[in-house]
Amino acid sequence: MIKVLSKGIHTSIQDLGRIGYQDMGVPIAGVMDSYAAKFANTVLGNKENDAVIEITLGLTKLEFISNCVICIAGGDFSAKINNQSVVLNSILNIEAGSILSFGKRNFGARVYIAVLGGCLTEEVLQSRSFSKGITKQTQLYKQDIIPVATDQKMKNNTYAKVKFKEEYMQTDKLFAFKGAEYEFLSENQKSKLVQTNFLITTENSRMGYILNETIENTLPSIYSSGVLPGTVQLTPSGKLIVLMRDCQVTGGYPRVLQLTEMAINSLAQKTTSDLINFKVVDFIYK
Amino acid sequence: MLDSLTYKPYGERSILIEWESKIDVSIHKDIIRYKQIIQSNSTQIQSVIVGYHSLLVSYKGLISSFTLAIKELKECYLQETVLETVENFVWEIPVCYDREFGIDLEVLAKQSGLTIEEIIRLHTKPIYQVYFIGFLPGFMYLGGLDKQIHFNRKQTPRLKVPKGSVAIGGSQTGVYPQESAGGWNIIGNTPISFFDRTKKRPCFIKAGDQICFQSITKEVHKEMMWLDKKGIYRCDKKQIG
């Protein structure tokens, strides 16, 4: 078991999301950065979909009540076990009573803690991802207990090391496909979309990121239609919203871009005041 | 309708199918038929999201060839019979329009010159089409609201609209399936849960169904709410012929 000593800014349990209930209005949810979460699970030999702890911007403090085998991957917030720095992206054998804390932010916005066998919090509609109106809670609080597999046998860090490609966390370039309403934009609007360095406003969360710079919006609103994590919508005020994992399943704003899965992961590692720009890529038709 | 359909890639794993851009019952019926065929034909589909004039089809893995995937979808459209027919129903939704719940009724009456009784009569008269579920788990997008009771959304949204609130926003009416922020005018409350996370099929209503609202008293509302909490209340339904 793992006990939450301090909840930090936002800490939740996530797997790869709640799939197949979207026609009932259920958000997909799931880890914001699927690359880092899958990586942490892979290092431990877990299943890709095993539930992990997602921590936004550090400050969270956890106590391991039982012996645990873990891997920490994603953003670098100077992770420490009992005040000793630890190596990210590797197998860590943690003794009962140890405390995980974080310090200075080096890069990234979200860090993942995978535990051997996964976090075993309640499963609702085939997923453990915290989600509003679906799971009992949307974030972890002080004193919460995260159930994990008991009797975790210590593991050696011997097998071939998988390399964590952290470049995606540093880049400000987000690759995106043309969105469903992209063709309705004028040439001027299209060039602004790729030439502007957009600043991430304080309104950024698991639901979506609102960007600061505006593009004059001359498009009519659309009849509500499906949206996905990574959909970039142009709002009536001219501000762009990039929908993230907790987004609704339908929306009525024009969809100008659709981020690639890796670009969603890149954005998940960004926070307030970070800059991003879009690079439009074409589909390769086969 | 096939000629007027467009198919566009939507990210790496999805295809957006669009009909002519309008809200129309015959388009809606075509969408629902198509969705059923797609879901019964392919094991590679992860989810299909219904919009007013669109389907967003997401696959389990990356789409290796959009040309091939779109060709397969087009073949589905031409399939005449649906193997597993899905039954559609008209559901009777009980609503208490007492002013204790319908907190905006008086303002709406003043604003429109209608009496509260007329507003309730106009709201309970039509059979509404469930176009799709979105916004929140179990939130129905309904068509068929009488023009006389189209009311603009509130200038400032309320931070907390209670679960079960029945409301009007512009030309739309709907039910808040959970407590949420919202800018629609609240005219009543239903004791029925539209989303139950403990059920295998958490939302009993689906796109393609229809609903009508039935006025109930405060006493009946209280009783039904108790039954709903116990999980034993079932709405009356009729099959659509």
Side-chain angles (χ1 to χ4, degrees):
Chain A
M1 290 187 300
I2 300 170
K3 188 172 158 188
V4 180
L5 298 183
S6 169
K7 78 178 191 75
I9 291 170
H10 188 96
T11 304
S12 66
I13 301 293
Q14 301 291 337
D15 52 24
L16 296 181
R18 202 162 272 105
I19 305 299
Y21 297 90
Q22 281 60 58
D23 57 357
M24 296 177 204
V26 177
I28 298 171
V31 288
M32 287 283 276
D33 177 352
S34 65
Y35 176 77
K38 283 181 186 174
F39 185 93
N41 272 328
T42 305
V43 166
L44 295 180
N46 280 355
K47 294 192 205 79
E48 275 192 343
N49 191 38
D50 280 341
V52 298
I53 307 169
E54 179 180 275
I55 295 172
T56 306
L57 297 168
L59 297 177
T60 305
K61 213 182 251 184
L62 304 173
E63 182 185 346
F64 295 88
I65 306 288
S66 52
N67 291 345
C68 287
V69 182
I70 68 167
C71 174
I72 306 174
D76 184 346
F77 306 107
S78 316
K80 293 181 184 75
I81 296 285
N82 299 328
N83 281 321
Q84 300 283 312
S85 293
V86 291
V87 183
L88 300 182
N89 314 319
S90 67
I91 295 177
L92 300 172
N93 293 304
I94 311 292
E95 280 179 28
S98 301
I99 290 173
L100 169 67
S101 62
F102 299 91
K104 183 175 163 275
R105 176 194 180 202
N106 293 321
F107 57 81
R110 288 179 172 87
V111 59
Y112 293 89
I113 320 294
V115 186
L116 194 62
C119 296
L120 304 176
T121 49
E122 63 163 352
E123 194 179 73
V124 184
L125 306 177
Q126 302 174 57
S127 165
R128 298 185 204 273
S129 289
F130 281 15
S131 187
K132 193 180 175 238
I134 307 290
T135 50
K136 286 197 191 96
Q137 52 192 118
T138 55
Q139 55 175 306
L140 288 165
Y141 292 97
K142 191 175 173 174
Q143 302 295 337
D144 280 348
I145 299 284
I146 306 163
V148 296
T150 50
D151 190 28
Q152 303 206 2
K153 296 268 185 320
M154 297 289 168
K155 270 194 156 188
N156 289 332
N157 226 343
T158 47
Y159 72 93
K161 227 178 162 188
V162 218
K163 185 165 174 354
F164 189 81
K165 300 186 180 93
E166 63 183 39
E167 301 77 35
Y168 79 98
M169 274 196 270
Q170 323 270 11
T171 184
D172 52 4
K173 198 180 284 300
L174 302 182
F175 288 95
F177 300 106
K178 290 168 185 169
E181 278 73 48
Y182 177 87
E183 293 304 339
F184 299 134
L185 296 171
S186 68
E187 288 309 312
N188 186 30
Q189 288 168 319
K190 284 178 189 169
S191 60
K192 266 199 172 156
L193 199 55
V194 292
Q195 281 165 10
T196 310
N197 276 316
F198 291 98
L199 184 90
I200 296 169
T201 67
T202 54
E203 286 175 275
N204 67 84
S205 69
R206 289 187 40 89
M207 292 269 289
Y209 281 46
I210 299 182
L211 308 181
N212 185 53
E213 288 69 22
T214 55
I215 292 177
E216 192 200 0
N217 183 2
T218 48
L219 303 182
S221 62
I222 59 167
Y223 291 120
S224 285
S225 178
V227 292
L228 294 174
T231 299
V232 184
Q233 295 177 310
L234 182 56
T235 66
S237 71
K239 282 196 175 168
L240 296 168
I241 299 182
V242 188
L243 299 180
M244 294 299 272
R245 308 289 183 182
D246 279 351
C247 71
Q248 300 171 191
V249 299
T250 56
Y253 297 135
R255 299 155 290 184
V256 291
L257 294 172
Q258 177 64 35
L259 298 189
T260 63
E261 178 66 18
M262 210 52 202
I264 300 174
N265 297 335
S266 291
L267 186 58
Q269 292 297 352
K270 310 234 172 281
T271 184
T272 311
S273 298
D274 285 345
L275 289 169
I276 54 164
N277 57 70
F278 298 108
K279 170 106 178 98
V280 177
V281 289
D282 274 312
F283 282 100
I284 302 163
Y285 263 90
K286 273 187 277 189
Chain B
M1 281 192 195
L2 182 61
D3 292 345
S4 60
L5 298 192
T6 58
Y7 295 78
K8 286 180 201 164
Y10 192 114
E12 299 142 300
R13 302 204 323 199
S14 309
I15 291 170
L16 179 70
I17 309 172
E18 288 183 303
W19 282 251
E20 190 189 339
S21 172
K22 61 178 183 183
I23 300 178
D24 179 281
V25 174
S26 63
I27 286 179
H28 171 70
K29 286 187 175 153
D30 201 41
I31 290 174
I32 297 303
R33 184 193 73 94
Y34 200 0
K35 175 181 188 263
Q36 288 171 5
I37 300 173
I38 291 170
Q39 283 182 320
S40 63
N41 270 24
S42 173
T43 53
Q44 291 313 305
I45 306 292
Q46 187 172 71
S47 68
V48 182
I49 301 175
V50 179
Y52 278 117
H53 62 98
S54 65
L55 281 177
L56 181 54
V57 184
S58 293
Y59 291 75
K60 286 177 182 162
L62 297 178
I63 300 172
S64 56
S65 164
F66 276 100
T67 314
L68 189 64
I70 290 170
K71 187 172 161 265
E72 281 172 4
L73 288 174
K74 284 182 175 170
E75 281 164 8
C76 283
Y77 188 87
L78 295 173
Q79 192 175 312
E80 275 171 25
T81 47
V82 182
L83 293 175
E84 297 163 62
T85 48
V86 178
E87 293 177 333
N88 286 109
F89 300 100
V90 187
W91 301 87
E92 282 177 13
I93 309 300
V95 178
C96 178
Y97 294 93
D98 188 280
R99 261 163 277 179
E100 182 192 326
F101 300 117
I103 50 176
D104 292 323
L105 274 172
E106 269 182 48
V107 177
L108 297 180
K110 253 184 216 156
Q111 191 185 311
S112 61
L114 297 165
T115 64
I116 289 179
E117 288 65 36
E118 281 171 320
I119 294 176
I120 296 170
R121 190 183 57 80
L122 289 167
H123 194 253
T124 49
K125 211 172 122 195
I127 290 180
Y128 298 92
Q129 186 69 42
V130 181
Y131 279 98
F132 56 94
I133 317 259
F135 172 49
L136 294 169
F139 184 91
M140 302 171 287
Y141 281 78
L142 299 172
L145 184 67
D146 192 293
K147 277 209 172 76
Q148 295 175 72
I149 50 171
H150 288 189
F151 299 115
N152 288 338
R153 287 162 212 218
K154 300 182 79 65
Q155 291 280 331
T156 324
R158 289 189 174 95
L159 288 175
K160 273 187 185 176
V161 173
K163 177 191 169 191
S165 290
V166 177
I168 293 176
S171 62
Q172 300 187 78
T173 185
V175 181
Y176 287 89
Q178 65 184 50
E179 185 186 281
S180 94
W184 290 16
N185 305 285
I186 303 168
I187 60 168
N189 188 279
T190 176
I192 304 307
S193 293
F194 283 83
F195 194 86
D196 181 347
R197 67 189 201 108
T198 63
K199 293 218 171 87
K200 205 178 162 200
R201 200 185 150 74
C203 183
F204 65 94
I205 288 185
K206 60 190 174 301
D209 284 354
Q210 295 174 339
I211 66 153
C212 56
F213 294 114
Q214 269 199 330
S215 179
I216 55 168
T217 62
K218 261 165 88 169
E219 290 69 34
V220 174
H221 180 276
K222 199 173 163 192
E223 207 171 289
M224 284 181 170
M225 194 164 231
W226 185 83
L227 292 171
D228 183 76
K229 273 209 181 101
K230 295 265 171 201
I232 43 183
Y233 184 80
R234 296 284 176 274
C235 285
D236 286 334
K237 63 177 177 185
K238 275 185 233 127
Q239 202 174 325
I240 301 174

